[in-house]
Amino acid sequence: FKATYDVTSGFIRRGKKKILFLCDSYSYSASKKMAGYEAALRDAGYPIRGELKFYTKNRIHHVRDMLLSHKNLEFDSVVATDDGLAIGALKYANVKVPDDIEIAGYNNSQLSVGCEPELTSVDNHLEKMCNDTVDYMLRVLQGDTDVPPQNEVVCEIKKRCTTDF
């Protein structure tokens, strides 16, 4: 929630008003990301526009082609719930990035540094999250009763060349 809120707010601070949201699932995680996007829009006094929210396959060329099929769609920035979705938008953008359009992905995957320009992406520290989960599960199985009921891993925005906030 917070990382997507922060990315969306960063776009808003830069004067972006038509922020496209790209998502590839209806999972708990995806719904939290969308809630962060919508909360940032609401807090800035922006309307939540359904035509700027897309659920699509997480395939780079599929996203590009989907956006090409919506030629009248106007947006000035993209928040994507996965790096592959964001790179699909980057492939679609036939303008200067980040001057004309800003794009941010999620997961800080190898894709984010393997594209040109390199993609700003949220690092959700997946490896730490998985290691902590396994450690806590093992502790529970070994009878440890002092395992925290919740472990929050703070996300970090890795700013690269597709944003200017």
Side-chain angles (χ1 to χ4, degrees):
F1 175 93
K2 183 170 179 347
T4 310
Y5 180 96
D6 290 346
V7 167
T8 306
S9 295
F11 289 152
I12 291 167
R13 282 191 305 278
R14 293 258 312 124
K16 304 301 180 183
K17 296 189 181 297
K18 298 175 184 171
I19 304 168
L20 180 67
F21 182 83
L22 296 175
C23 189
D24 67 342
S25 78
Y26 295 93
S27 68
Y28 176 80
S29 174
S31 67
K32 287 296 191 181
K33 292 170 188 170
M34 182 178 287
Y37 161 82
E38 291 177 346
L41 292 174
R42 269 193 309 278
D43 288 353
Y46 286 15
I48 297 171
R49 299 171 49 188
E51 72 273 13
L52 290 178
K53 296 191 294 186
F54 280 87
Y55 286 91
T56 184
K57 291 179 189 173
N58 189 0
R59 303 282 185 268
I60 292 170
H61 289 105
H62 181 84
V63 173
R64 180 204 60 201
D65 294 345
M66 184 226 25
L67 291 173
L68 285 170
S69 73
H70 290 84
K71 289 186 186 255
N72 294 329
L73 183 65
E74 293 183 25
F75 57 94
D76 54 17
S77 50
V78 179
V79 174
T81 61
D82 188 89
D83 289 342
L85 297 168
I87 292 171
L90 184 61
K91 292 263 185 206
Y92 162 80
N94 195 15
V95 293
K96 290 183 180 179
V97 177
D99 296 335
D100 298 326
I101 187 171
E102 294 189 56
I103 302 172
Y106 207 98
N107 292 331
N108 197 36
S109 69
Q110 290 298 311
L111 291 173
S112 67
V113 294
C115 63
E116 185 60 38
E118 289 188 1
L119 179 70
T120 293
S121 185
V122 174
D123 187 348
N124 57 353
H125 301 287
L126 184 59
E127 185 175 345
K128 178 180 178 9
M129 198 175 356
C130 291
N131 288 337
D132 287 354
T133 300
V134 170
D135 289 344
Y136 291 152
M137 287 176 61
L138 289 173
R139 286 174 54 191
V140 167
L141 291 172
Q142 294 168 354
D144 187 342
T145 58
D146 195 29
V147 177
Q150 187 172 344
N151 180 34
E152 185 175 314
V153 177
V154 178
C155 296
E156 176 183 3
I157 300 170
K158 297 290 187 175
K159 295 178 185 177
R160 296 191 182 94
C161 302
T162 60
T163 60
D164 208 9
F165 60 82

